Amino acid sequence: MLLFNKFCLSNKIKNRTRPYLFLAPAIVLLTLLMLYPILVVIKYSVMDNVIMNKNPQFVGLSNYKQVLSDGIFRLSLGNTLYFAIMSVIFHMAVGLIFALLLDAKVVNPIVKSMMRVIYILPWVFTATIIAIIWRLLLDPSGVVNYVSGVLHITEKNIPWFSSTKFALHALTFVNIWAGYPFYMVSILAGLQGIPKDYYEAATIDGANDIQQFWHITIPHLIPIIVSIAMLDFIWTMQVHPLVWMTTGGGPVHVTEVLSTYTYKLAFSTYKFSPASASGVIILILSMCVAIFYIRNQKARD
């Protein structure tokens, strides 16, 4: 009897530990590639200038004070918030419009298939390709200026990416163009998941298309829209390649965002500790939005 009990106990232990053994490789990998680097950056952020200093000393929150009191940091924070908020709003608007077009019954199936390919193209390109395409298009002697001149929209060629007046707006436009397919695909999936019985019942009750859109379509899409908007905000807050390869944060820090500000601190001025502090601040801002995202997902479940 004692041997039987020991055998049962060992089987219970094995059954409980088996899932963790399967998860162990992923946990180790995530720890090495994510958790450990984060902890190292947090450590660097409270030390004297590491890497450049052989014997760095603990300096507490002085690096954070230095970063937060920097005018360029505050400017880059404002640019990042503008860049992220405007991108999320117009990603949502453009993605919703194109998703409704692709879901419309009046559109010919062949035309709809062609539209799917065209609308999804920006999502296929890498940040490098997008940057090259739009630098050519928005060049002072590029296609955009030529067309606007022919149509008499502008009187002279505009250096979109090197103008202090237009650079941030041009960069935001490019990011909107590059990111709307994510919304379009997600919203289209949501539209196709709405039961058609709801629309038939609404039609019988005398509701027109606009009323059906506001009272059936939008309520069903809100959970999807909120989720992808939060994810998009987190991703856009950390955009670096597109900004770096189009404007590099210039001219005169007009398009400086938190990612380029942190990169320049670390690899242009070699101030690794303040750069680490800036990175931690970005992490905290992203985690605040991530917490809302997780709560929203739990509420949906």
Side-chain angles (χ1 to χ4, degrees):
M1 187 67 181
L2 184 60
L3 290 173
F4 178 74
N5 289 335
K6 286 183 178 180
F7 177 75
C8 290
L9 182 61
S10 63
N11 280 338
K12 287 182 179 179
I13 294 172
K14 287 180 180 179
N15 290 333
R16 289 180 179 179
T17 57
R18 187 176 290 115
Y20 297 101
L21 292 175
F22 284 118
L23 290 172
I27 292 172
V28 171
L29 192 63
L30 288 173
T31 302
L32 291 175
L33 297 181
M34 294 184 63
L35 183 60
Y36 177 72
I38 290 173
L39 294 175
V40 170
V41 169
I42 294 173
K43 176 186 174 184
Y44 285 174
S45 69
V46 295
M47 305 292 288
D48 192 6
N49 199 16
V50 292
I51 300 178
M52 302 301 294
N53 190 346
K54 291 183 179 180
N55 299 305
Q57 302 295 321
F58 178 78
V59 293
L61 299 177
S62 63
N63 290 317
Y64 292 92
K65 293 179 182 178
Q66 177 184 339
V67 169
L68 293 173
S69 62
D70 188 355
I72 299 175
F73 173 81
R74 293 195 293 269
L75 177 63
S76 66
L77 177 60
N79 290 341
T80 303
L81 291 175
Y82 172 84
F83 182 71
I85 292 170
M86 295 301 291
S87 293
V88 169
I89 291 172
F90 283 97
H91 279 162
M92 189 186 308
V94 176
L96 178 61
I97 291 169
F98 285 169
L100 290 171
L101 287 173
L102 292 177
D103 191 57
K105 295 179 180 178
V106 295
V107 181
N108 186 283
I110 298 175
V111 176
K112 192 181 292 187
S113 299
M114 295 174 62
M115 290 167 63
R116 284 177 188 266
V117 175
I118 295 170
Y119 290 162
I120 206 71
L121 276 178
W123 212 13
V124 177
F125 299 137
T126 63
T128 306
I129 301 300
I130 293 169
I132 293 171
I133 290 172
W134 283 101
R135 285 188 68 174
L136 292 172
L137 290 174
L138 297 178
D139 188 82
S141 56
V143 175
V144 173
N145 279 313
Y146 174 76
V147 172
S148 62
V150 170
L151 298 177
H152 302 289
I153 298 172
T154 57
E155 295 181 358
K156 58 181 180 179
N157 293 342
I158 299 173
W160 295 97
F161 283 137
S162 57
S163 167
T164 55
K165 185 178 180 180
F166 297 108
L168 183 59
H169 305 300
L171 182 63
T172 305
F173 173 81
V174 173
N175 189 64
I176 292 167
W177 179 85
Y180 79 82
F182 171 64
Y183 280 77
M184 183 189 71
V185 171
S186 301
I187 293 173
L188 181 59
L191 287 171
Q192 293 175 347
I194 300 174
K196 302 302 179 185
D197 298 343
Y198 293 169
Y199 294 102
E200 293 174 1
T203 303
I204 293 172
D205 289 340
N208 57 34
D209 292 340
I210 296 175
Q211 291 172 327
Q212 291 180 27
F213 175 76
W214 283 112
H215 296 287
I216 298 176
T217 306
I218 292 298
H220 280 84
L221 292 179
I222 281 177
I224 298 173
I225 290 173
V226 171
S227 297
I228 59 179
M230 289 182 183
L231 283 175
D232 187 32
F233 186 83
I234 294 171
W235 294 337
T236 309
M237 283 275 292
Q238 302 171 22
V239 166
H240 178 76
L242 181 63
V243 180
W244 189 254
M245 288 182 286
T246 49
T247 64
V252 200
H253 305 293
V254 169
T255 60
E256 198 81 78
V257 292
L258 290 175
S259 61
T260 57
Y261 172 81
T262 305
Y263 181 87
K264 289 178 181 178
L265 267 183
F267 301 108
S268 294
T269 60
Y270 304 107
K271 297 178 180 178
F272 292 100
S273 291
S276 298
S278 178
V280 173
I281 292 171
I282 297 172
L283 175 65
I284 293 170
L285 292 173
S286 300
M287 285 182 65
C288 290
V289 182
I291 290 169
F292 284 107
Y293 173 75
I294 293 169
R295 287 183 177 179
N296 178 68
Q297 291 298 105
K298 286 184 178 179
R300 286 183 62 186
D301 294 340

